[in-house]
Amino acid sequence: MKVSRRKAIEKALIATTGATLFSDLPKSAQSSERKALKHTYLLKREIPVSKKYDVVVAGGGPAGVAAAVCSSRLGAKVLLIESTGCLGGMGTSGLVTAFDPMANGEELLVGGFMKEVLLDMYKRGFLGPQEKPEVFTKAYHHWTPFNAEGYKLLLDEKVVEADVEVRFFTKVIDAEANSKNGSIEGVIINNVEGYEFILSKTFIDCTGDAVLAGLCGATCREAGRDTSNIMPATLCSYFVNIDFKNSIKVGTEHPILLKAIEDGHFTHTDRHLPGLSQVGNTIGYLNGGHVYNLNSLRCESLTKGMMLGRKVAKEHLSFFKNYVPGFENVEHATTASVMGVRESRRILGEYELNFDDYISKREFPDQIGIFNKSVDIHAYDDSLKEFSRFKKEYNETGRLKQGEYFGIPYSILVPKGWKNLWVAGRCNSSDVRVHGSIRVQPAASMMGQAAGTAAVQSIKTGQPANDLNTETLISTLRTEGAQLPQKELSKEMTRV
């Protein structure tokens, strides 16, 4: 298009709409325009009000699916809102396709819905081909690889069977809430059909980033603000055409990895390689390569991190192909569609689970799950000092022994002072160190089942989230198969 013609069209646009091309403005005008962007804009809309639900769950990861299915099975009318096109969260969209340790060397610690999913995946052939029940239900610090597509399919079936209404490609963007009295009336969602106001009796935030809790004004802790560092993220990958029978398992500090680092192969001198796990006959899932200082609550940071993550994934492809036997014909199938975030924002709950609770193996009357996984705070940067800190904590100072476990209390699922709002999963109320243990999928699922069960109890009894009879809650969870060995129960939740 000729310049004169373009200018004529732009002039007509300015005359009729006031629009212009920002790049064509004089620098002085550009400066004024940028300043204007800092001003607020009042958005007014009349939007349709949806039918009312008993339970609205934001986020369809392991916590959200457990919350939705388990509350629906107890008779609630449930809406599950998910921003992507599948359920499973990090286990599917994030390609973190291995369940973290679920046993303590003597027994399976997870029960209820998580155990149901685990055993169904084994029966359907969705776990890694090498996985056996006598191992994944008992072994100490054993990861259980699985196939992402099988997991997606199974979770679809679970929500359909439970009569949960699911809306994919939908986000919660605002809430009608009263932070002074700790109650929510409804949430505003947005998808391809536009805005909609959703009324509900109860709400469960399973977004991982405490998105709903933050919108409502619940008190939250944000990594990078009240902590000096943010645990690094990882963009996971699937690789294919691997000869597992003739391959070498290369992980953290393996001589082959150290040789590649010495050769300057990687962007980061990262000695920590969680590894490549077999999820199919020739398919491997790679949890490798860190994206440091990524803040998933900042769009610019997340965008740059995704781009860097894809670069790091290609570096690992060439590493395995050129350095590791059995990977001569390996191909890179895909990177995940979402970043594998380990830390972002957590609520401040009625109780904050802390490292002293963890290391003392504290048992709570209101515990809704038990767990054993080591404190897993990945190195904040690629320095040898940080890596040494991580290694010592993970293997020594932050690890329980075989046969041991600690409790996860109900009160870390309730934002302090809130009556009809719960959280489950990574945004729970815990300190940095113990959060490094319970931020994972099996623990998230147990939290989700507890939150969904508590929401139904609250509706039936009128008991608010922050004053729920936890003796009744634990009894219900036990009936639903949860592994809760505490001998003493209490009507009141843990607060100190």
Side-chain angles (χ1 to χ4, degrees), residues 270-282:
D270 186 358
R271 299 162 182 83
H272 183 191
L273 178 60
L276 190 144
S277 302
Q278 185 176 3
V279 297
N281 291 330
T282 68

mmCIF file with all atom_site columns, all heavy atoms in Angstrom, residues 270-282:
data_model
loop_
_atom_site.group_PDB
_atom_site.id
_atom_site.type_symbol
_atom_site.label_atom_id
_atom_site.label_alt_id
_atom_site.label_comp_id
_atom_site.label_asym_id
_atom_site.label_entity_id
_atom_site.label_seq_id
_atom_site.pdbx_PDB_ins_code
_atom_site.Cartn_x
_atom_site.Cartn_y
_atom_site.Cartn_z
_atom_site.occupancy
_atom_site.B_iso_or_equiv
_atom_site.pdbx_formal_charge
_atom_site.auth_seq_id
_atom_site.auth_comp_id
_atom_site.auth_asym_id
_atom_site.auth_atom_id
_atom_site.pdbx_PDB_model_num
ATOM 1  N N   . ASP A 1 270 ? 23.292 -26.383 34.752 1.00 0.00 ? 270 ASP A N   1
ATOM 2  C CA  . ASP A 1 270 ? 22.288 -26.954 35.657 1.00 0.00 ? 270 ASP A CA  1
ATOM 3  C C   . ASP A 1 270 ? 22.602 -28.427 35.916 1.00 0.00 ? 270 ASP A C   1
ATOM 4  O O   . ASP A 1 270 ? 22.395 -29.272 35.048 1.00 0.00 ? 270 ASP A O   1
ATOM 5  C CB  . ASP A 1 270 ? 20.911 -26.781 35.017 1.00 0.00 ? 270 ASP A CB  1
ATOM 6  C CG  . ASP A 1 270 ? 19.773 -27.199 35.928 1.00 0.00 ? 270 ASP A CG  1
ATOM 7  O OD1 . ASP A 1 270 ? 20.042 -27.656 37.050 1.00 0.00 ? 270 ASP A OD1 1
ATOM 8  O OD2 . ASP A 1 270 ? 18.613 -27.057 35.507 1.00 0.00 ? 270 ASP A OD2 1
ATOM 9  N N   . ARG A 1 271 ? 23.080 -28.742 37.108 1.00 0.00 ? 271 ARG A N   1
ATOM 10 C CA  . ARG A 1 271 ? 23.453 -30.115 37.445 1.00 0.00 ? 271 ARG A CA  1
ATOM 11 C C   . ARG A 1 271 ? 22.263 -30.987 37.822 1.00 0.00 ? 271 ARG A C   1
ATOM 12 O O   . ARG A 1 271 ? 22.408 -32.190 37.991 1.00 0.00 ? 271 ARG A O   1
ATOM 13 C CB  . ARG A 1 271 ? 24.459 -30.103 38.609 1.00 0.00 ? 271 ARG A CB  1
ATOM 14 C CG  . ARG A 1 271 ? 25.747 -29.361 38.290 1.00 0.00 ? 271 ARG A CG  1
ATOM 15 C CD  . ARG A 1 271 ? 26.495 -28.986 39.564 1.00 0.00 ? 271 ARG A CD  1
ATOM 16 N NE  . ARG A 1 271 ? 27.710 -28.228 39.256 1.00 0.00 ? 271 ARG A NE  1
ATOM 17 C CZ  . ARG A 1 271 ? 27.739 -26.932 39.021 1.00 0.00 ? 271 ARG A CZ  1
ATOM 18 N NH1 . ARG A 1 271 ? 26.603 -26.224 39.039 1.00 0.00 ? 271 ARG A NH1 1
ATOM 19 N NH2 . ARG A 1 271 ? 28.862 -26.317 38.760 1.00 0.00 ? 271 ARG A NH2 1
ATOM 20 N N   . HIS A 1 272 ? 21.113 -30.371 37.999 1.00 0.00 ? 272 HIS A N   1
ATOM 21 C CA  . HIS A 1 272 ? 19.908 -31.084 38.430 1.00 0.00 ? 272 HIS A CA  1
ATOM 22 C C   . HIS A 1 272 ? 19.086 -31.487 37.204 1.00 0.00 ? 272 HIS A C   1
ATOM 23 O O   . HIS A 1 272 ? 18.552 -30.632 36.498 1.00 0.00 ? 272 HIS A O   1
ATOM 24 C CB  . HIS A 1 272 ? 19.073 -30.188 39.350 1.00 0.00 ? 272 HIS A CB  1
ATOM 25 C CG  . HIS A 1 272 ? 17.856 -30.842 39.904 1.00 0.00 ? 272 HIS A CG  1
ATOM 26 N ND1 . HIS A 1 272 ? 16.878 -30.142 40.572 1.00 0.00 ? 272 HIS A ND1 1
ATOM 27 C CD2 . HIS A 1 272 ? 17.448 -32.136 39.916 1.00 0.00 ? 272 HIS A CD2 1
ATOM 28 C CE1 . HIS A 1 272 ? 15.922 -30.968 40.954 1.00 0.00 ? 272 HIS A CE1 1
ATOM 29 N NE2 . HIS A 1 272 ? 16.240 -32.180 40.554 1.00 0.00 ? 272 HIS A NE2 1
ATOM 30 N N   . LEU A 1 273 ? 18.988 -32.768 36.966 1.00 0.00 ? 273 LEU A N   1
ATOM 31 C CA  . LEU A 1 273 ? 18.176 -33.298 35.876 1.00 0.00 ? 273 LEU A CA  1
ATOM 32 C C   . LEU A 1 273 ? 17.246 -34.362 36.464 1.00 0.00 ? 273 LEU A C   1
ATOM 33 O O   . LEU A 1 273 ? 17.649 -35.518 36.654 1.00 0.00 ? 273 LEU A O   1
ATOM 34 C CB  . LEU A 1 273 ? 19.061 -33.916 34.784 1.00 0.00 ? 273 LEU A CB  1
ATOM 35 C CG  . LEU A 1 273 ? 18.343 -34.562 33.600 1.00 0.00 ? 273 LEU A CG  1
ATOM 36 C CD1 . LEU A 1 273 ? 17.478 -33.543 32.869 1.00 0.00 ? 273 LEU A CD1 1
ATOM 37 C CD2 . LEU A 1 273 ? 19.350 -35.197 32.637 1.00 0.00 ? 273 LEU A CD2 1
ATOM 38 N N   . PRO A 1 274 ? 16.006 -33.985 36.822 1.00 0.00 ? 274 PRO A N   1
ATOM 39 C CA  . PRO A 1 274 ? 15.084 -34.961 37.408 1.00 0.00 ? 274 PRO A CA  1
ATOM 40 C C   . PRO A 1 274 ? 14.961 -36.235 36.578 1.00 0.00 ? 274 PRO A C   1
ATOM 41 O O   . PRO A 1 274 ? 14.747 -37.309 37.113 1.00 0.00 ? 274 PRO A O   1
ATOM 42 C CB  . PRO A 1 274 ? 13.764 -34.192 37.465 1.00 0.00 ? 274 PRO A CB  1
ATOM 43 C CG  . PRO A 1 274 ? 14.191 -32.777 37.623 1.00 0.00 ? 274 PRO A CG  1
ATOM 44 C CD  . PRO A 1 274 ? 15.425 -32.640 36.778 1.00 0.00 ? 274 PRO A CD  1
ATOM 45 N N   . GLY A 1 275 ? 15.115 -36.116 35.265 1.00 0.00 ? 275 GLY A N   1
ATOM 46 C CA  . GLY A 1 275 ? 15.223 -37.326 34.467 1.00 0.00 ? 275 GLY A CA  1
ATOM 47 C C   . GLY A 1 275 ? 14.189 -37.485 33.385 1.00 0.00 ? 275 GLY A C   1
ATOM 48 O O   . GLY A 1 275 ? 13.250 -36.709 33.259 1.00 0.00 ? 275 GLY A O   1
ATOM 49 N N   . LEU A 1 276 ? 14.410 -38.530 32.597 1.00 0.00 ? 276 LEU A N   1
ATOM 50 C CA  . LEU A 1 276 ? 13.514 -38.890 31.519 1.00 0.00 ? 276 LEU A CA  1
ATOM 51 C C   . LEU A 1 276 ? 12.893 -40.242 31.860 1.00 0.00 ? 276 LEU A C   1
ATOM 52 O O   . LEU A 1 276 ? 13.592 -41.237 32.012 1.00 0.00 ? 276 LEU A O   1
ATOM 53 C CB  . LEU A 1 276 ? 14.276 -38.954 30.198 1.00 0.00 ? 276 LEU A CB  1
ATOM 54 C CG  . LEU A 1 276 ? 13.420 -39.096 28.941 1.00 0.00 ? 276 LEU A CG  1
ATOM 55 C CD1 . LEU A 1 276 ? 14.038 -38.317 27.786 1.00 0.00 ? 276 LEU A CD1 1
ATOM 56 C CD2 . LEU A 1 276 ? 13.277 -40.557 28.544 1.00 0.00 ? 276 LEU A CD2 1
ATOM 57 N N   . SER A 1 277 ? 11.561 -40.270 32.007 1.00 0.00 ? 277 SER A N   1
ATOM 58 C CA  . SER A 1 277 ? 10.848 -41.472 32.442 1.00 0.00 ? 277 SER A CA  1
ATOM 59 C C   . SER A 1 277 ? 10.101 -42.110 31.288 1.00 0.00 ? 277 SER A C   1
ATOM 60 O O   . SER A 1 277 ? 9.540  -41.415 30.430 1.00 0.00 ? 277 SER A O   1
ATOM 61 C CB  . SER A 1 277 ? 9.853  -41.124 33.557 1.00 0.00 ? 277 SER A CB  1
ATOM 62 O OG  . SER A 1 277 ? 10.507 -40.528 34.654 1.00 0.00 ? 277 SER A OG  1
ATOM 63 N N   . GLN A 1 278 ? 10.048 -43.420 31.279 1.00 0.00 ? 278 GLN A N   1
ATOM 64 C CA  . GLN A 1 278 ? 9.364  -44.159 30.225 1.00 0.00 ? 278 GLN A CA  1
ATOM 65 C C   . GLN A 1 278 ? 7.866  -44.165 30.467 1.00 0.00 ? 278 GLN A C   1
ATOM 66 O O   . GLN A 1 278 ? 7.387  -44.649 31.486 1.00 0.00 ? 278 GLN A O   1
ATOM 67 C CB  . GLN A 1 278 ? 9.883  -45.601 30.166 1.00 0.00 ? 278 GLN A CB  1
ATOM 68 C CG  . GLN A 1 278 ? 9.306  -46.402 29.009 1.00 0.00 ? 278 GLN A CG  1
ATOM 69 C CD  . GLN A 1 278 ? 9.903  -47.797 28.904 1.00 0.00 ? 278 GLN A CD  1
ATOM 70 O OE1 . GLN A 1 278 ? 10.718 -48.202 29.743 1.00 0.00 ? 278 GLN A OE1 1
ATOM 71 N NE2 . GLN A 1 278 ? 9.506  -48.541 27.892 1.00 0.00 ? 278 GLN A NE2 1
ATOM 72 N N   . VAL A 1 279 ? 7.111  -43.641 29.497 1.00 0.00 ? 279 VAL A N   1
ATOM 73 C CA  . VAL A 1 279 ? 5.651  -43.629 29.595 1.00 0.00 ? 279 VAL A CA  1
ATOM 74 C C   . VAL A 1 279 ? 4.991  -44.456 28.492 1.00 0.00 ? 279 VAL A C   1
ATOM 75 O O   . VAL A 1 279 ? 3.773  -44.596 28.456 1.00 0.00 ? 279 VAL A O   1
ATOM 76 C CB  . VAL A 1 279 ? 5.098  -42.182 29.563 1.00 0.00 ? 279 VAL A CB  1
ATOM 77 C CG1 . VAL A 1 279 ? 5.588  -41.403 30.766 1.00 0.00 ? 279 VAL A CG1 1
ATOM 78 C CG2 . VAL A 1 279 ? 5.471  -41.477 28.271 1.00 0.00 ? 279 VAL A CG2 1
ATOM 79 N N   . GLY A 1 280 ? 5.802  -44.995 27.580 1.00 0.00 ? 280 GLY A N   1
ATOM 80 C CA  . GLY A 1 280 ? 5.322  -45.859 26.503 1.00 0.00 ? 280 GLY A CA  1
ATOM 81 C C   . GLY A 1 280 ? 6.480  -46.707 26.028 1.00 0.00 ? 280 GLY A C   1
ATOM 82 O O   . GLY A 1 280 ? 7.608  -46.583 26.529 1.00 0.00 ? 280 GLY A O   1
ATOM 83 N N   . ASN A 1 281 ? 6.251  -47.568 25.069 1.00 0.00 ? 281 ASN A N   1
ATOM 84 C CA  . ASN A 1 281 ? 7.311  -48.470 24.612 1.00 0.00 ? 281 ASN A CA  1
ATOM 85 C C   . ASN A 1 281 ? 8.545  -47.720 24.116 1.00 0.00 ? 281 ASN A C   1
ATOM 86 O O   . ASN A 1 281 ? 9.682  -48.127 24.366 1.00 0.00 ? 281 ASN A O   1
ATOM 87 C CB  . ASN A 1 281 ? 6.787  -49.387 23.513 1.00 0.00 ? 281 ASN A CB  1
ATOM 88 C CG  . ASN A 1 281 ? 5.782  -50.388 24.047 1.00 0.00 ? 281 ASN A CG  1
ATOM 89 O OD1 . ASN A 1 281 ? 5.858  -50.788 25.212 1.00 0.00 ? 281 ASN A OD1 1
ATOM 90 N ND2 . ASN A 1 281 ? 4.832  -50.787 23.213 1.00 0.00 ? 281 ASN A ND2 1
ATOM 91 N N   . THR A 1 282 ? 8.318  -46.611 23.420 1.00 0.00 ? 282 THR A N   1
ATOM 92 C CA  . THR A 1 282 ? 9.453  -45.800 22.939 1.00 0.00 ? 282 THR A CA  1
ATOM 93 C C   . THR A 1 282 ? 9.308  -44.327 23.310 1.00 0.00 ? 282 THR A C   1
ATOM 94 O O   . THR A 1 282 ? 10.017 -43.483 22.789 1.00 0.00 ? 282 THR A O   1
ATOM 95 C CB  . THR A 1 282 ? 9.583  -45.908 21.407 1.00 0.00 ? 282 THR A CB  1
ATOM 96 O OG1 . THR A 1 282 ? 8.458  -45.256 20.783 1.00 0.00 ? 282 THR A OG1 1
ATOM 97 C CG2 . THR A 1 282 ? 9.656  -47.357 20.951 1.00 0.00 ? 282 THR A CG2 1
#
